[in-house]
Amino acid sequence: MGGVGVSEEYVPPRLSRLLHALPHINVTLHRVNDTFAPNSPIYLESLGILGSIPGAWLILTLTVLLIYLLTRCCDRKQRPPKSITALKITLMILSVLCCGAIGMGLFGNDDLHNAMLQSIQAGNQLAALVNNVKNQSSILEEAMGSRARAPLARLADALDAPVANQTALGTLLRALSALRNNASAAASAADNLRRPLAALNLDSFMKRVWVWEAARWAGGMAGWCCGGAVCVALLAAAARRSRPALLSLCVCALGALVACWAAGAALVAGSVAAADACQEPARAVALYAPHRLPLDMVHYYLSCKVSRENVLTAELRNAQRAVVAVRQALAILSRGAPELFNDPGLQPALGALGAGTGEAERALVSLSSALECRTARTYFVTAARAACDAGLQALTLQLLAAIVAGILFTAIVLVDSHAWIYINTKIGRQSSLRDAQKGQSSQPMDTHYSGRAPSGEEQAPFLGGAGSRTLPRPAPFPNGKPPSYSAAVQLMDLNDRPDRERPRSRISGSATLGRNSGGVGGVERAGGLGLGGAHTLGRAPHNGKYATLSKQCKTLESNDFY
């Protein structure tokens, strides 16, 4: 990215000015200096106080939730039948809104990543510019230093030969001395250009920044995706109305609530600090970036405001003057030395010096372009705009998403816990009602025969169905057999006879007779018993089954017969 079409003027974005305008106060609630100063404890204290606002809200939210759960966990108040539907719909709506907030956070995280990639790309271009200065300075130093020593020594040996024209020889010797001195001066200037930048390794720094940004992006995506998974699971649990799922997801929503407000606290402090730095990014980089360059040099190349001559430009100018002097001296030697001396090694030495001088001149042209402040300023403005404009907007968008998600998770925890308490209470009431019904159905009716309490076997129910009235079994018959069906029919025949033909036995009430009885003897034994009230005669005790008679023999009228 070059400087074509890119304005070199940097203006702080409106959002940066808005966040920078937030009051920076200390623990005594007094305003402090809002200039970006990460090494100042007072400035860091003001950022911590701003970041503690979401933390205080988190503590208040957890306190309210604790009070709510303590007051609602023992609630057994009856609820209208449709209240669980309203809770389910409310929980589904809150889950959908929470998914929207999580999506906004994901978009902000990805947008911040793209902005940081643009800033890193501009930083890499600035690093390439610094590397170009280092390389060209090394080329200049080598061309005028180590590579020029051998040709200069060969040329000096050639000029030591005796000649008749001493005036021309003096001119050549003065040119050789100027060549040697200026070559040494150019090599020294090149070393002075390279030495301040030797400790500046922007490539390694930008690689670390890229790794940090990749880790931040991955962590942000993982965090927002976990929150979205909780919202989707809450939506599914609300649709199914599953009590265990609601309880477990309520705990997950509570954890997401804490994570959202904790992230909000960090994002508030980070957004305000970034806004403060974006007011004067050149000053922030010059003072607090990890470099060992002179401050005036960094200010010069990042702001391009010339207050005094820069160190690098001064050395560049010295190198240019020295190389020009080397070229002039080499021209004098190239014209006069071959005329005075017939040395075969003279031309190779002059050719090597000429090639080295040409390489030094090309290195100076490249250095002149690289050391121009407008080039570095263009790259820096591009990086600052990407970070302070799009990056700060994305950071603020994540802050808003975290706040909205925290509020929605708070409402979700309230509604979810209320729904779980309602379902738990409803299930508890239904369980208590079933237990009560089972207890009532398992208690037999207390009926006595002739003042005698029934045994455990006699208390067994007659019908297993709930709500049926079951009478206990009668006492064992003398011969161990109950009356039979035929005996019941004979009893009905006796009941249809006139009063004079009836036996003198008396049966009051009604009785239901079983099938397994033996003949008329059973009837006589039954007639000989005075049955008060009503009782049921079942099968023999060994089979444990009961059977009812048909309608004709089900009931015996209470009549006196003799």
Side-chain angles (χ1 to χ4, degrees):
M1 183 183 300
V4 179
V6 179
S7 175
E8 297 178 2
E9 187 64 26
Y10 172 80
V11 179
R14 182 179 302 177
L15 181 59
S16 173
R17 296 194 298 268
L18 180 63
L19 292 175
H20 178 68
L22 292 177
H24 294 61
I25 58 176
N26 55 10
V27 292
T28 60
L29 302 182
H30 291 84
R31 296 198 66 164
V32 298
N33 189 8
D34 55 3
T35 304
F36 181 72
N39 296 334
S40 173
I42 298 177
Y43 178 77
L44 294 179
E45 180 181 323
S46 65
L47 292 180
I49 291 175
L50 288 174
S52 64
I53 296 176
W57 183 263
L58 173 61
I59 295 174
L60 179 62
T61 301
L62 294 178
T63 304
V64 171
L65 290 175
L66 179 61
I67 295 174
Y68 171 77
L69 293 176
L70 289 177
T71 55
R72 292 287 299 152
C73 64
C74 299
D75 185 14
R76 294 297 184 267
K77 184 179 178 181
Q78 295 286 343
R79 293 290 184 273
K82 294 184 180 180
S83 62
I84 187 62
T85 303
L87 289 175
K88 181 176 70 172
I89 294 175
T90 304
L91 189 58
M92 293 175 68
I93 293 175
L94 290 175
S95 300
V96 172
L97 293 177
C98 184
C99 290
I102 296 299
M104 183 171 63
L106 285 171
F107 177 78
N109 185 70
D110 191 66
D111 200 10
L112 177 60
H113 182 63
N114 293 331
M116 291 304 299
L117 288 181
Q118 294 178 5
S119 182
I120 291 173
Q121 182 180 5
N124 289 330
Q125 291 176 336
L126 189 59
L129 184 64
V130 173
N131 292 334
N132 185 29
V133 173
K134 291 181 181 180
N135 294 333
Q136 297 303 322
S137 299
S138 298
I139 291 173
L140 177 60
E141 182 182 9
E142 184 179 359
M144 293 289 99
S146 60
R147 290 173 56 185
R149 290 193 188 99
L152 284 173
R154 187 65 179 270
L155 187 59
D157 293 340
L159 294 179
D160 285 340
V163 293
N165 192 349
Q166 295 296 322
T167 304
L169 179 60
T171 303
L172 293 177
L173 290 176
R174 287 192 296 270
L176 179 61
S177 178
L179 178 61
R180 183 182 292 111
N181 293 335
N182 285 289
S184 178
S188 178
D191 183 66
N192 292 335
L193 282 173
R194 184 181 53 83
R195 189 184 304 114
L197 302 177
L200 182 62
N201 191 355
L202 281 181
D203 288 330
S204 177
F205 176 75
M206 298 311 298
K207 287 180 181 179
R208 289 197 302 269
V209 171
W210 186 87
V211 171
W212 295 339
E213 171 56 25
R216 187 212 60 79
W217 176 79
M221 293 295 290
W224 288 115
C225 288
C226 288
V230 172
C231 292
V232 173
L234 282 168
L235 184 62
R240 291 184 303 162
R241 204 169 68 182
S242 172
R243 187 168 62 104
L246 286 176
L247 178 60
S248 59
L249 290 174
C250 182
V251 177
C252 294
L254 187 61
L257 162 68
V258 175
C260 284
W261 287 113
L267 289 172
V268 166
S271 299
V272 174
D276 295 339
C278 289
Q279 297 302 305
E280 296 181 82
R283 176 186 176 275
V285 172
L287 292 177
Y288 305 108
H291 62 79
R292 299 177 182 177
L293 300 177
L295 294 181
D296 57 347
M297 181 189 301
V298 180
H299 276 294
Y300 173 78
Y301 283 104
L302 297 185
S303 61
C304 210
K305 295 178 180 179
V306 181
S307 58
R308 60 179 182 176
E309 190 177 26
N310 182 43
V311 176
L312 296 183
T313 56
E315 295 295 337
L316 175 64
R317 191 172 293 110
N318 294 333
Q320 288 174 342
R321 286 196 296 263
V323 171
V324 169
V326 167
R327 174 61 67 182
Q328 293 174 354
L330 185 61
I332 295 174
L333 289 171
S334 298
R335 287 194 305 267
E339 295 178 357
L340 292 177
F341 301 99
N342 190 12
D343 190 345
L346 188 61
Q347 289 296 336
L350 291 173
L353 288 174
T357 303
E359 193 173 359
E361 289 173 343
R362 289 189 294 272
L364 284 173
V365 172
S366 181
L367 282 173
S368 180
S369 175
L371 292 176
E372 178 65 35
C373 68
R374 288 192 296 268
T375 305
R377 171 73 176 174
T378 300
Y379 294 148
F380 177 73
V381 168
T382 302
R385 284 176 178 171
C388 295
D389 193 358
L392 190 58
Q393 288 180 6
L395 195 64
T396 307
L397 183 63
Q398 288 193 86
L399 173 60
L400 294 177
I403 293 175
V404 173
I407 295 174
L408 290 175
F409 273 122
T410 303
I412 284 173
V413 170
L414 287 172
V415 176
D416 195 359
S417 59
H418 184 75
W420 182 82
I421 292 172
Y422 175 82
I423 296 175
N424 192 33
T425 304
K426 182 177 180 181
I427 292 177
R429 289 198 304 268
Q430 292 176 353
S431 178
S432 300
L433 183 60
R434 287 195 299 267
D435 293 341
Q437 291 177 353
K438 288 180 180 180
Q440 292 177 359
S441 62
S442 63
Q443 294 178 0
M445 181 178 294
D446 190 10
T447 307
H448 300 277
Y449 294 95
S450 302
R452 175 178 170 274
S455 62
E457 184 182 357
E458 294 168 349
Q459 294 177 0
F462 179 71
L463 294 175
S468 62
R469 185 175 180 181
T470 306
L471 298 178
R473 295 182 182 180
F477 292 95
N479 60 352
K481 296 180 180 180
S484 63
Y485 180 80
S486 59
V489 175
Q490 292 178 8
L491 284 176
M492 294 180 63
D493 292 338
L494 291 175
N495 190 28
D496 293 336
R497 295 179 184 180
D499 292 345
R500 67 177 183 274
E501 298 178 0
R502 295 178 182 177
R504 295 187 178 182
S505 300
R506 179 183 181 91
I507 300 177
S508 61
S510 62
T512 303
L513 304 179
R515 295 180 180 178
N516 298 332
S517 61
V520 184
V523 178
E524 294 176 355
R525 286 190 295 272
L529 296 172
L531 303 176
H535 68 279
T536 304
L537 300 180
R539 294 185 177 183
H542 60 274
N543 54 19
K545 297 183 180 179
Y546 300 93
T548 56
L549 302 178
S550 62
K551 292 182 179 180
Q552 296 179 357
C553 59
K554 184 176 182 181
T555 317
L556 297 179
E557 298 292 339
S558 300
N559 296 319
D560 296 334
F561 60 92
Y562 300 94

